[in-house]
Amino acid sequence: MIEDTGIVVAFWVLAVVTVGAAGMVILARNLIHAVLFLVLSFVGIAGLYITLSADFVAVVQVLIYAGAISVLMLFAIMLTPLADRGNTGGVFQAPAIVLAALMAGTIAFVALDTDWNNVTRAAPSDTPAIIGEALLDPFVLPFEIASVLLVAAMIGAILLVREE
Amino acid sequence: MYLVLAKRNAVAILMGIELMLNAVNLTLVTFSRFIDISDPQRQLDGHVFAVFVITVAAAEAAVALALAVAVYRHRETIDVNRINLLKW
């Protein structure tokens, strides 16, 4: 399935869209445009999940990232109206470029140096069912901790922005 | 990564963090596709882990954006170069 031409074309298109949108998040002059490019990047990653036949994670990605987190970011920008709307850089630009280039080089080297074995088994069909069972059987404790963490984060966020 | 280290607006830094978390999620799901486990119940552990990462990222984004708004209320800015209360 992974060798289908359609899948390959879809992968490259989605990869270019995702990486290009991520680059535009850096380059966009207006912060709101940067958020919109971030949404495009998130949707591209959701498409990449679909090419990996991870449909449940793709749906979660669209719902949480492209839906919730981007709206949250737009709210944060709107709620700080007097702050600088520009997307300018700070004092650490040059060292940050060097560090990011080093990191990208290392990852690219490892990726090219690794001897990738091709996928032999078939893609899993009903991922939501398997993920649901995994969440409630071997991963119950992390699952419950995640729910407690979400409640704590929600209460914390409400407390932080509450008017005195 | 460049975005996180070099931007001045706190919200832009958060966008960089989200992008990095997305990259990690993508590698997790990809490796869960590549790895060779016969038990079908364990083949999707990478997906489960990615879902956990998304959960924690959502919590982190909520708290961090609330912090940005709270800091803005006090200081009228979210420029990280000018938030230097801890500096003496």
Side-chain angles (χ1 to χ4, degrees), chain A residues 26 31 42 49 54 61 65 81-82 84 87 89-90 93 117 119 121 133 161, chain B residues 2 6-9 18 22 25 32-34 41 43 47 57 72-73 76:
Chain A
I26 300 175
L31 212 52
F42 288 159
Y49 286 148
Q61 166 87 8
Y65 271 111
L82 290 177
D84 184 17
N87 198 6
Q93 278 200 36
N117 56 330
V119 181
R121 61 185 169 82
E133 271 176 40
V161 292
Chain B
Y2 167 79
K7 286 296 175 187
R8 273 170 55 180
N9 194 311
E18 298 298 333
N22 261 289
N25 270 343
S32 90
R33 184 78 177 84
F34 268 95
Q41 289 297 318
Q43 274 177 4
H47 293 207
Y72 173 79
R73 287 234 176 96
E76 297 269 299

PDB file of all heavy atoms in Angstrom, chain A residues 26 31 42 49 54 61 65 81-82 84 87 89-90 93 117 119 121 133 161, chain B residues 2 6-9 18 22 25 32-34 41 43 47 57 72-73 76:
ATOM      1  N   ILE A  26       7.359  31.170  10.407  1.00  0.00           N
ATOM      2  CA  ILE A  26       8.508  31.977  10.815  1.00  0.00           C
ATOM      3  C   ILE A  26       8.523  33.298  10.058  1.00  0.00           C
ATOM      4  O   ILE A  26       8.800  34.351  10.630  1.00  0.00           O
ATOM      5  CB  ILE A  26       9.810  31.202  10.546  1.00  0.00           C
ATOM      6  CG1 ILE A  26       9.807  29.891  11.327  1.00  0.00           C
ATOM      7  CG2 ILE A  26      11.022  32.029  10.905  1.00  0.00           C
ATOM      8  CD1 ILE A  26      10.992  29.023  11.031  1.00  0.00           C
ATOM      9  N   LEU A  31       1.223  38.346  13.065  1.00  0.00           N
ATOM     10  CA  LEU A  31       1.100  37.191  13.948  1.00  0.00           C
ATOM     11  C   LEU A  31      -0.134  36.357  13.631  1.00  0.00           C
ATOM     12  O   LEU A  31      -0.118  35.131  13.732  1.00  0.00           O
ATOM     13  CB  LEU A  31       1.048  37.676  15.396  1.00  0.00           C
ATOM     14  CG  LEU A  31       1.646  36.745  16.437  1.00  0.00           C
ATOM     15  CD1 LEU A  31       3.036  36.352  16.036  1.00  0.00           C
ATOM     16  CD2 LEU A  31       1.670  37.417  17.773  1.00  0.00           C
ATOM     17  N   PHE A  42      -0.709  22.110  10.564  1.00  0.00           N
ATOM     18  CA  PHE A  42      -1.359  21.050  11.344  1.00  0.00           C
ATOM     19  C   PHE A  42      -2.207  20.152  10.448  1.00  0.00           C
ATOM     20  O   PHE A  42      -2.194  18.920  10.571  1.00  0.00           O
ATOM     21  CB  PHE A  42      -2.246  21.655  12.435  1.00  0.00           C
ATOM     22  CG  PHE A  42      -1.489  22.280  13.561  1.00  0.00           C
ATOM     23  CD1 PHE A  42      -2.083  23.220  14.381  1.00  0.00           C
ATOM     24  CD2 PHE A  42      -0.176  21.921  13.813  1.00  0.00           C
ATOM     25  CE1 PHE A  42      -1.382  23.795  15.419  1.00  0.00           C
ATOM     26  CE2 PHE A  42       0.532  22.489  14.854  1.00  0.00           C
ATOM     27  CZ  PHE A  42      -0.078  23.433  15.658  1.00  0.00           C
ATOM     28  N   TYR A  49      -0.668  11.731   8.596  1.00  0.00           N
ATOM     29  CA  TYR A  49      -1.137  10.619   9.431  1.00  0.00           C
ATOM     30  C   TYR A  49      -2.024   9.685   8.614  1.00  0.00           C
ATOM     31  O   TYR A  49      -1.965   8.463   8.782  1.00  0.00           O
ATOM     32  CB  TYR A  49      -1.925  11.144  10.630  1.00  0.00           C
ATOM     33  CG  TYR A  49      -1.096  11.780  11.708  1.00  0.00           C
ATOM     34  CD1 TYR A  49      -1.598  12.813  12.475  1.00  0.00           C
ATOM     35  CD2 TYR A  49       0.186  11.335  11.980  1.00  0.00           C
ATOM     36  CE1 TYR A  49      -0.852  13.403  13.465  1.00  0.00           C
ATOM     37  CE2 TYR A  49       0.943  11.916  12.964  1.00  0.00           C
ATOM     38  CZ  TYR A  49       0.425  12.948  13.712  1.00  0.00           C
ATOM     39  OH  TYR A  49       1.159  13.525  14.681  1.00  0.00           O
ATOM     40  N   ALA A  54      -3.075   6.068   9.960  1.00  0.00           N
ATOM     41  CA  ALA A  54      -3.362   6.329  11.372  1.00  0.00           C
ATOM     42  C   ALA A  54      -4.567   7.256  11.430  1.00  0.00           C
ATOM     43  O   ALA A  54      -4.433   8.433  11.748  1.00  0.00           O
ATOM     44  CB  ALA A  54      -2.147   6.948  12.052  1.00  0.00           C
ATOM     45  N   GLN A  61      -5.843  14.962  15.597  1.00  0.00           N
ATOM     46  CA  GLN A  61      -4.986  16.091  15.213  1.00  0.00           C
ATOM     47  C   GLN A  61      -5.829  17.253  14.702  1.00  0.00           C
ATOM     48  O   GLN A  61      -5.643  18.396  15.102  1.00  0.00           O
ATOM     49  CB  GLN A  61      -4.018  15.618  14.130  1.00  0.00           C
ATOM     50  CG  GLN A  61      -3.293  16.713  13.405  1.00  0.00           C
ATOM     51  CD  GLN A  61      -2.026  17.118  14.099  1.00  0.00           C
ATOM     52  OE1 GLN A  61      -1.628  16.478  15.043  1.00  0.00           O
ATOM     53  NE2 GLN A  61      -1.410  18.166  13.628  1.00  0.00           N
ATOM     54  N   TYR A  65      -5.615  20.126  17.424  1.00  0.00           N
ATOM     55  CA  TYR A  65      -4.656  21.143  16.986  1.00  0.00           C
ATOM     56  C   TYR A  65      -5.313  22.176  16.092  1.00  0.00           C
ATOM     57  O   TYR A  65      -5.357  23.358  16.430  1.00  0.00           O
ATOM     58  CB  TYR A  65      -3.484  20.485  16.260  1.00  0.00           C
ATOM     59  CG  TYR A  65      -2.384  20.088  17.194  1.00  0.00           C
ATOM     60  CD1 TYR A  65      -2.106  18.772  17.460  1.00  0.00           C
ATOM     61  CD2 TYR A  65      -1.625  21.060  17.829  1.00  0.00           C
ATOM     62  CE1 TYR A  65      -1.105  18.417  18.328  1.00  0.00           C
ATOM     63  CE2 TYR A  65      -0.630  20.712  18.688  1.00  0.00           C
ATOM     64  CZ  TYR A  65      -0.361  19.386  18.936  1.00  0.00           C
ATOM     65  OH  TYR A  65       0.614  19.045  19.792  1.00  0.00           O
ATOM     66  N   PRO A  81      -4.220  43.232  22.970  1.00  0.00           N
ATOM     67  CA  PRO A  81      -4.320  44.111  21.805  1.00  0.00           C
ATOM     68  C   PRO A  81      -3.199  45.152  21.712  1.00  0.00           C
ATOM     69  O   PRO A  81      -2.873  45.582  20.625  1.00  0.00           O
ATOM     70  CB  PRO A  81      -5.673  44.803  22.000  1.00  0.00           C
ATOM     71  CG  PRO A  81      -5.948  44.690  23.443  1.00  0.00           C
ATOM     72  CD  PRO A  81      -5.301  43.446  23.916  1.00  0.00           C
ATOM     73  N   LEU A  82      -2.636  45.538  22.848  1.00  0.00           N
ATOM     74  CA  LEU A  82      -1.616  46.585  22.782  1.00  0.00           C
ATOM     75  C   LEU A  82      -0.233  46.026  22.502  1.00  0.00           C
ATOM     76  O   LEU A  82       0.704  46.784  22.259  1.00  0.00           O
ATOM     77  CB  LEU A  82      -1.580  47.377  24.094  1.00  0.00           C
ATOM     78  CG  LEU A  82      -2.801  48.258  24.324  1.00  0.00           C
ATOM     79  CD1 LEU A  82      -2.708  48.933  25.668  1.00  0.00           C
ATOM     80  CD2 LEU A  82      -2.908  49.298  23.228  1.00  0.00           C
ATOM     81  N   ASP A  84       2.831  43.975  20.554  1.00  0.00           N
ATOM     82  CA  ASP A  84       3.341  44.057  19.197  1.00  0.00           C
ATOM     83  C   ASP A  84       2.732  42.946  18.358  1.00  0.00           C
ATOM     84  O   ASP A  84       2.865  41.772  18.678  1.00  0.00           O
ATOM     85  CB  ASP A  84       4.863  43.938  19.238  1.00  0.00           C
ATOM     86  CG  ASP A  84       5.457  44.114  17.866  1.00  0.00           C
ATOM     87  OD1 ASP A  84       4.745  44.636  16.988  1.00  0.00           O
ATOM     88  OD2 ASP A  84       6.626  43.746  17.689  1.00  0.00           O
ATOM     89  N   ASN A  87       5.812  39.924  13.913  1.00  0.00           N
ATOM     90  CA  ASN A  87       6.384  38.617  14.199  1.00  0.00           C
ATOM     91  C   ASN A  87       7.907  38.742  14.143  1.00  0.00           C
ATOM     92  O   ASN A  87       8.584  37.968  13.499  1.00  0.00           O
ATOM     93  CB  ASN A  87       5.874  37.629  13.151  1.00  0.00           C
ATOM     94  CG  ASN A  87       6.051  36.202  13.583  1.00  0.00           C
ATOM     95  OD1 ASN A  87       6.460  35.947  14.710  1.00  0.00           O
ATOM     96  ND2 ASN A  87       5.781  35.294  12.684  1.00  0.00           N
ATOM     97  N   GLY A  89      11.977  39.115  15.245  1.00  0.00           N
ATOM     98  CA  GLY A  89      12.909  38.277  15.985  1.00  0.00           C
ATOM     99  C   GLY A  89      13.500  39.013  17.159  1.00  0.00           C
ATOM    100  O   GLY A  89      13.391  40.225  17.281  1.00  0.00           O
ATOM    101  N   GLY A  90      14.127  38.264  18.059  1.00  0.00           N
ATOM    102  CA  GLY A  90      14.731  38.852  19.244  1.00  0.00           C
ATOM    103  C   GLY A  90      16.234  38.942  19.133  1.00  0.00           C
ATOM    104  O   GLY A  90      16.790  39.041  18.037  1.00  0.00           O
ATOM    105  N   GLN A  93      18.846  35.678  17.504  1.00  0.00           N
ATOM    106  CA  GLN A  93      18.576  35.130  16.188  1.00  0.00           C
ATOM    107  C   GLN A  93      19.717  34.311  15.624  1.00  0.00           C
ATOM    108  O   GLN A  93      19.521  33.178  15.186  1.00  0.00           O
ATOM    109  CB  GLN A  93      18.254  36.275  15.229  1.00  0.00           C
ATOM    110  CG  GLN A  93      16.825  36.721  15.345  1.00  0.00           C
ATOM    111  CD  GLN A  93      16.388  37.482  14.122  1.00  0.00           C
ATOM    112  OE1 GLN A  93      16.781  37.173  13.025  1.00  0.00           O
ATOM    113  NE2 GLN A  93      15.568  38.480  14.324  1.00  0.00           N
ATOM    114  N   ASN A 117      14.165  -0.588   7.172  1.00  0.00           N
ATOM    115  CA  ASN A 117      13.535  -1.794   6.631  1.00  0.00           C
ATOM    116  C   ASN A 117      12.130  -1.434   6.169  1.00  0.00           C
ATOM    117  O   ASN A 117      11.432  -0.645   6.795  1.00  0.00           O
ATOM    118  CB  ASN A 117      13.485  -2.905   7.678  1.00  0.00           C
ATOM    119  CG  ASN A 117      12.781  -2.488   8.937  1.00  0.00           C
ATOM    120  OD1 ASN A 117      12.820  -1.322   9.281  1.00  0.00           O
ATOM    121  ND2 ASN A 117      12.140  -3.400   9.610  1.00  0.00           N
ATOM    122  N   VAL A 119       8.150  -1.770   5.235  1.00  0.00           N
ATOM    123  CA  VAL A 119       7.024  -2.335   5.969  1.00  0.00           C
ATOM    124  C   VAL A 119       6.598  -3.631   5.306  1.00  0.00           C
ATOM    125  O   VAL A 119       6.387  -3.674   4.096  1.00  0.00           O
ATOM    126  CB  VAL A 119       5.865  -1.335   6.000  1.00  0.00           C
ATOM    127  CG1 VAL A 119       4.705  -1.911   6.775  1.00  0.00           C
ATOM    128  CG2 VAL A 119       6.315  -0.050   6.614  1.00  0.00           C
ATOM    129  N   ARG A 121       4.201  -5.847   7.091  1.00  0.00           N
ATOM    130  CA  ARG A 121       2.857  -6.232   7.488  1.00  0.00           C
ATOM    131  C   ARG A 121       1.824  -5.266   6.909  1.00  0.00           C
ATOM    132  O   ARG A 121       2.157  -4.150   6.516  1.00  0.00           O
ATOM    133  CB  ARG A 121       2.749  -6.252   9.013  1.00  0.00           C
ATOM    134  CG  ARG A 121       3.007  -4.909   9.639  1.00  0.00           C
ATOM    135  CD  ARG A 121       3.004  -5.056  11.141  1.00  0.00           C
ATOM    136  NE  ARG A 121       3.491  -3.849  11.781  1.00  0.00           N
ATOM    137  CZ  ARG A 121       2.738  -2.800  11.992  1.00  0.00           C
ATOM    138  NH1 ARG A 121       1.489  -2.793  11.598  1.00  0.00           N
ATOM    139  NH2 ARG A 121       3.250  -1.751  12.591  1.00  0.00           N
ATOM    140  N   GLU A 133      -8.897   0.033  23.243  1.00  0.00           N
ATOM    141  CA  GLU A 133      -8.562  -1.073  24.131  1.00  0.00           C
ATOM    142  C   GLU A 133      -7.211  -0.857  24.790  1.00  0.00           C
ATOM    143  O   GLU A 133      -7.030  -1.141  25.979  1.00  0.00           O
ATOM    144  CB  GLU A 133      -8.549  -2.384  23.335  1.00  0.00           C
ATOM    145  CG  GLU A 133      -9.908  -3.049  23.286  1.00  0.00           C
ATOM    146  CD  GLU A 133      -9.879  -4.277  22.403  1.00  0.00           C
ATOM    147  OE1 GLU A 133      -8.883  -5.004  22.472  1.00  0.00           O
ATOM    148  OE2 GLU A 133     -10.854  -4.472  21.655  1.00  0.00           O
ATOM    149  N   VAL A 161      -6.255  33.711  34.459  1.00  0.00           N
ATOM    150  CA  VAL A 161      -6.801  34.842  33.711  1.00  0.00           C
ATOM    151  C   VAL A 161      -8.025  35.438  34.398  1.00  0.00           C
ATOM    152  O   VAL A 161      -8.644  36.336  33.840  1.00  0.00           O
ATOM    153  CB  VAL A 161      -7.167  34.442  32.268  1.00  0.00           C
ATOM    154  CG1 VAL A 161      -5.919  34.134  31.493  1.00  0.00           C
ATOM    155  CG2 VAL A 161      -8.102  33.276  32.267  1.00  0.00           C
TER     156      VAL A 161
ATOM    157  N   TYR B   2      14.162  27.328  15.754  1.00  0.00           N
ATOM    158  CA  TYR B   2      14.527  28.732  15.564  1.00  0.00           C
ATOM    159  C   TYR B   2      13.427  29.637  16.100  1.00  0.00           C
ATOM    160  O   TYR B   2      13.682  30.620  16.803  1.00  0.00           O
ATOM    161  CB  TYR B   2      14.751  28.991  14.076  1.00  0.00           C
ATOM    162  CG  TYR B   2      14.832  30.448  13.723  1.00  0.00           C
ATOM    163  CD1 TYR B   2      15.998  31.155  13.955  1.00  0.00           C
ATOM    164  CD2 TYR B   2      13.750  31.107  13.177  1.00  0.00           C
ATOM    165  CE1 TYR B   2      16.074  32.492  13.651  1.00  0.00           C
ATOM    166  CE2 TYR B   2      13.806  32.436  12.865  1.00  0.00           C
ATOM    167  CZ  TYR B   2      14.977  33.130  13.106  1.00  0.00           C
ATOM    168  OH  TYR B   2      15.035  34.443  12.808  1.00  0.00           O
ATOM    169  N   ALA B   6      14.218  32.437  18.975  1.00  0.00           N
ATOM    170  CA  ALA B   6      14.555  33.754  18.468  1.00  0.00           C
ATOM    171  C   ALA B   6      13.381  34.732  18.386  1.00  0.00           C
ATOM    172  O   ALA B   6      13.586  35.877  18.035  1.00  0.00           O
ATOM    173  CB  ALA B   6      15.186  33.624  17.084  1.00  0.00           C
ATOM    174  N   LYS B   7      12.165  34.277  18.690  1.00  0.00           N
ATOM    175  CA  LYS B   7      11.062  35.206  18.527  1.00  0.00           C
ATOM    176  C   LYS B   7      10.858  36.037  19.788  1.00  0.00           C
ATOM    177  O   LYS B   7      11.176  35.615  20.892  1.00  0.00           O
ATOM    178  CB  LYS B   7       9.783  34.434  18.193  1.00  0.00           C
ATOM    179  CG  LYS B   7       9.771  33.925  16.777  1.00  0.00           C
ATOM    180  CD  LYS B   7       9.786  35.041  15.781  1.00  0.00           C
ATOM    181  CE  LYS B   7       9.905  34.485  14.368  1.00  0.00           C
ATOM    182  NZ  LYS B   7      10.078  35.529  13.371  1.00  0.00           N
ATOM    183  N   ARG B   8      10.265  37.192  19.604  1.00  0.00           N
ATOM    184  CA  ARG B   8      10.071  38.077  20.744  1.00  0.00           C
ATOM    185  C   ARG B   8       8.694  37.953  21.338  1.00  0.00           C
ATOM    186  O   ARG B   8       8.510  38.163  22.526  1.00  0.00           O
ATOM    187  CB  ARG B   8      10.317  39.525  20.322  1.00  0.00           C
ATOM    188  CG  ARG B   8      11.779  39.895  20.432  1.00  0.00           C
ATOM    189  CD  ARG B   8      12.063  41.207  19.811  1.00  0.00           C
ATOM    190  NE  ARG B   8      11.225  42.279  20.338  1.00  0.00           N
ATOM    191  CZ  ARG B   8      11.318  43.523  19.929  1.00  0.00           C
ATOM    192  NH1 ARG B   8      12.204  43.824  19.009  1.00  0.00           N
ATOM    193  NH2 ARG B   8      10.544  44.446  20.412  1.00  0.00           N
ATOM    194  N   ASN B   9       7.704  37.633  20.517  1.00  0.00           N
ATOM    195  CA  ASN B   9       6.355  37.529  21.035  1.00  0.00           C
ATOM    196  C   ASN B   9       6.157  36.155  21.672  1.00  0.00           C
ATOM    197  O   ASN B   9       6.506  35.128  21.091  1.00  0.00           O
ATOM    198  CB  ASN B   9       5.366  37.717  19.888  1.00  0.00           C
ATOM    199  CG  ASN B   9       3.978  37.947  20.399  1.00  0.00           C
ATOM    200  OD1 ASN B   9       3.507  37.201  21.241  1.00  0.00           O
ATOM    201  ND2 ASN B   9       3.333  38.979  19.921  1.00  0.00           N
ATOM    202  N   GLU B  18       4.542  24.122  19.644  1.00  0.00           N
ATOM    203  CA  GLU B  18       3.540  23.220  19.082  1.00  0.00           C
ATOM    204  C   GLU B  18       4.071  22.529  17.825  1.00  0.00           C
ATOM    205  O   GLU B  18       3.820  21.339  17.608  1.00  0.00           O
ATOM    206  CB  GLU B  18       2.269  23.993  18.736  1.00  0.00           C
ATOM    207  CG  GLU B  18       1.581  24.633  19.914  1.00  0.00           C
ATOM    208  CD  GLU B  18       1.119  23.616  20.927  1.00  0.00           C
ATOM    209  OE1 GLU B  18       0.857  22.476  20.531  1.00  0.00           O
ATOM    210  OE2 GLU B  18       1.024  23.955  22.112  1.00  0.00           O
ATOM    211  N   ASN B  22       4.467  18.539  17.188  1.00  0.00           N
ATOM    212  CA  ASN B  22       3.881  17.878  16.032  1.00  0.00           C
ATOM    213  C   ASN B  22       4.895  17.002  15.328  1.00  0.00           C
ATOM    214  O   ASN B  22       4.570  15.897  14.886  1.00  0.00           O
ATOM    215  CB  ASN B  22       3.349  18.932  15.067  1.00  0.00           C
ATOM    216  CG  ASN B  22       1.874  19.105  15.234  1.00  0.00           C
ATOM    217  OD1 ASN B  22       1.122  18.229  14.872  1.00  0.00           O
ATOM    218  ND2 ASN B  22       1.478  20.208  15.812  1.00  0.00           N
ATOM    219  N   ASN B  25       5.295  13.852  17.258  1.00  0.00           N
ATOM    220  CA  ASN B  25       4.135  12.981  17.058  1.00  0.00           C
ATOM    221  C   ASN B  25       4.224  12.252  15.730  1.00  0.00           C
ATOM    222  O   ASN B  25       3.930  11.057  15.641  1.00  0.00           O
ATOM    223  CB  ASN B  25       2.856  13.814  17.078  1.00  0.00           C
ATOM    224  CG  ASN B  25       2.303  13.927  18.462  1.00  0.00           C
ATOM    225  OD1 ASN B  25       2.670  13.149  19.329  1.00  0.00           O
ATOM    226  ND2 ASN B  25       1.446  14.889  18.665  1.00  0.00           N
ATOM    227  N   SER B  32       5.695   3.649  14.620  1.00  0.00           N
ATOM    228  CA  SER B  32       4.753   2.601  14.990  1.00  0.00           C
ATOM    229  C   SER B  32       4.265   1.864  13.734  1.00  0.00           C
ATOM    230  O   SER B  32       3.854   0.721  13.808  1.00  0.00           O
ATOM    231  CB  SER B  32       3.574   3.178  15.755  1.00  0.00           C
ATOM    232  OG  SER B  32       2.553   3.538  14.865  1.00  0.00           O
ATOM    233  N   ARG B  33       4.327   2.546  12.574  1.00  0.00           N
ATOM    234  CA  ARG B  33       3.986   1.875  11.318  1.00  0.00           C
ATOM    235  C   ARG B  33       5.126   0.961  10.883  1.00  0.00           C
ATOM    236  O   ARG B  33       4.917  -0.093  10.295  1.00  0.00           O
ATOM    237  CB  ARG B  33       3.713   2.937  10.251  1.00  0.00           C
ATOM    238  CG  ARG B  33       3.242   2.420   8.905  1.00  0.00           C
ATOM    239  CD  ARG B  33       1.786   2.064   8.946  1.00  0.00           C
ATOM    240  NE  ARG B  33       1.335   1.629   7.628  1.00  0.00           N
ATOM    241  CZ  ARG B  33       1.486   0.384   7.190  1.00  0.00           C
ATOM    242  NH1 ARG B  33       2.076  -0.504   7.950  1.00  0.00           N
ATOM    243  NH2 ARG B  33       1.057   0.049   5.987  1.00  0.00           N
ATOM    244  N   PHE B  34       6.381   1.380  11.157  1.00  0.00           N
ATOM    245  CA  PHE B  34       7.540   0.649  10.672  1.00  0.00           C
ATOM    246  C   PHE B  34       7.884  -0.541  11.546  1.00  0.00           C
ATOM    247  O   PHE B  34       8.430  -1.523  11.082  1.00  0.00           O
ATOM    248  CB  PHE B  34       8.763   1.578  10.628  1.00  0.00           C
ATOM    249  CG  PHE B  34       8.947   2.244   9.305  1.00  0.00           C
ATOM    250  CD1 PHE B  34       8.440   3.507   9.075  1.00  0.00           C
ATOM    251  CD2 PHE B  34       9.618   1.594   8.287  1.00  0.00           C
ATOM    252  CE1 PHE B  34       8.602   4.106   7.850  1.00  0.00           C
ATOM    253  CE2 PHE B  34       9.783   2.195   7.065  1.00  0.00           C
ATOM    254  CZ  PHE B  34       9.278   3.449   6.842  1.00  0.00           C
ATOM    255  N   GLN B  41      -2.450  -6.235  19.027  1.00  0.00           N
ATOM    256  CA  GLN B  41      -2.884  -5.319  20.073  1.00  0.00           C
ATOM    257  C   GLN B  41      -1.794  -4.312  20.426  1.00  0.00           C
ATOM    258  O   GLN B  41      -2.074  -3.228  20.919  1.00  0.00           O
ATOM    259  CB  GLN B  41      -3.264  -6.092  21.336  1.00  0.00           C
ATOM    260  CG  GLN B  41      -4.553  -6.887  21.187  1.00  0.00           C
ATOM    261  CD  GLN B  41      -5.741  -5.989  20.949  1.00  0.00           C
ATOM    262  OE1 GLN B  41      -5.878  -4.947  21.571  1.00  0.00           O
ATOM    263  NE2 GLN B  41      -6.603  -6.358  20.020  1.00  0.00           N
ATOM    264  N   GLN B  43       0.571  -3.216  18.228  1.00  0.00           N
ATOM    265  CA  GLN B  43       1.129  -2.529  17.065  1.00  0.00           C
ATOM    266  C   GLN B  43       0.874  -1.032  17.108  1.00  0.00           C
ATOM    267  O   GLN B  43       1.602  -0.267  16.489  1.00  0.00           O
ATOM    268  CB  GLN B  43       0.511  -3.097  15.791  1.00  0.00           C
ATOM    269  CG  GLN B  43       1.239  -4.320  15.266  1.00  0.00           C
ATOM    270  CD  GLN B  43       0.544  -4.878  14.058  1.00  0.00           C
ATOM    271  OE1 GLN B  43      -0.426  -4.308  13.582  1.00  0.00           O
ATOM    272  NE2 GLN B  43       1.042  -5.986  13.574  1.00  0.00           N
ATOM    273  N   HIS B  47       0.664   5.083  18.365  1.00  0.00           N
ATOM    274  CA  HIS B  47      -0.508   5.952  18.233  1.00  0.00           C
ATOM    275  C   HIS B  47      -0.989   6.405  19.606  1.00  0.00           C
ATOM    276  O   HIS B  47      -1.307   7.579  19.819  1.00  0.00           O
ATOM    277  CB  HIS B  47      -1.645   5.217  17.524  1.00  0.00           C
ATOM    278  CG  HIS B  47      -1.352   4.899  16.103  1.00  0.00           C
ATOM    279  ND1 HIS B  47      -2.319   4.753  15.163  1.00  0.00           N
ATOM    280  CD2 HIS B  47      -0.187   4.709  15.471  1.00  0.00           C
ATOM    281  CE1 HIS B  47      -1.768   4.480  13.999  1.00  0.00           C
ATOM    282  NE2 HIS B  47      -0.469   4.436  14.166  1.00  0.00           N
ATOM    283  N   ALA B  57       0.093  18.385  25.236  1.00  0.00           N
ATOM    284  CA  ALA B  57       0.327  19.624  24.497  1.00  0.00           C
ATOM    285  C   ALA B  57      -0.858  20.566  24.645  1.00  0.00           C
ATOM    286  O   ALA B  57      -0.677  21.784  24.782  1.00  0.00           O
ATOM    287  CB  ALA B  57       0.583  19.308  23.030  1.00  0.00           C
ATOM    288  N   TYR B  72       0.371  39.901  30.311  1.00  0.00           N
ATOM    289  CA  TYR B  72      -0.016  41.090  29.570  1.00  0.00           C
ATOM    290  C   TYR B  72      -0.832  42.038  30.441  1.00  0.00           C
ATOM    291  O   TYR B  72      -0.670  43.258  30.385  1.00  0.00           O
ATOM    292  CB  TYR B  72      -0.821  40.680  28.339  1.00  0.00           C
ATOM    293  CG  TYR B  72      -1.410  41.851  27.613  1.00  0.00           C
ATOM    294  CD1 TYR B  72      -0.632  42.614  26.763  1.00  0.00           C
ATOM    295  CD2 TYR B  72      -2.736  42.209  27.798  1.00  0.00           C
ATOM    296  CE1 TYR B  72      -1.156  43.696  26.111  1.00  0.00           C
ATOM    297  CE2 TYR B  72      -3.271  43.292  27.146  1.00  0.00           C
ATOM    298  CZ  TYR B  72      -2.478  44.031  26.308  1.00  0.00           C
ATOM    299  OH  TYR B  72      -2.997  45.095  25.668  1.00  0.00           O
ATOM    300  N   ARG B  73      -1.716  41.477  31.303  1.00  0.00           N
ATOM    301  CA  ARG B  73      -2.530  42.327  32.175  1.00  0.00           C
ATOM    302  C   ARG B  73      -1.654  43.167  33.084  1.00  0.00           C
ATOM    303  O   ARG B  73      -1.957  44.323  33.367  1.00  0.00           O
ATOM    304  CB  ARG B  73      -3.436  41.458  33.035  1.00  0.00           C
ATOM    305  CG  ARG B  73      -4.567  40.846  32.256  1.00  0.00           C
ATOM    306  CD  ARG B  73      -5.897  41.159  32.894  1.00  0.00           C
ATOM    307  NE  ARG B  73      -6.956  40.626  32.059  1.00  0.00           N
ATOM    308  CZ  ARG B  73      -7.515  39.454  32.290  1.00  0.00           C
ATOM    309  NH1 ARG B  73      -7.150  38.736  33.332  1.00  0.00           N
ATOM    310  NH2 ARG B  73      -8.452  39.026  31.494  1.00  0.00           N
ATOM    311  N   GLU B  76       1.445  44.962  30.241  1.00  0.00           N
ATOM    312  CA  GLU B  76       1.064  45.554  28.953  1.00  0.00           C
ATOM    313  C   GLU B  76       1.962  45.108  27.813  1.00  0.00           C
ATOM    314  O   GLU B  76       2.070  45.779  26.801  1.00  0.00           O
ATOM    315  CB  GLU B  76       1.083  47.092  29.015  1.00  0.00           C
ATOM    316  CG  GLU B  76       0.094  47.667  29.985  1.00  0.00           C
ATOM    317  CD  GLU B  76      -1.244  47.965  29.341  1.00  0.00           C
ATOM    318  OE1 GLU B  76      -1.265  48.771  28.415  1.00  0.00           O
ATOM    319  OE2 GLU B  76      -2.239  47.359  29.751  1.00  0.00           O
TER     320      GLU B  76
END
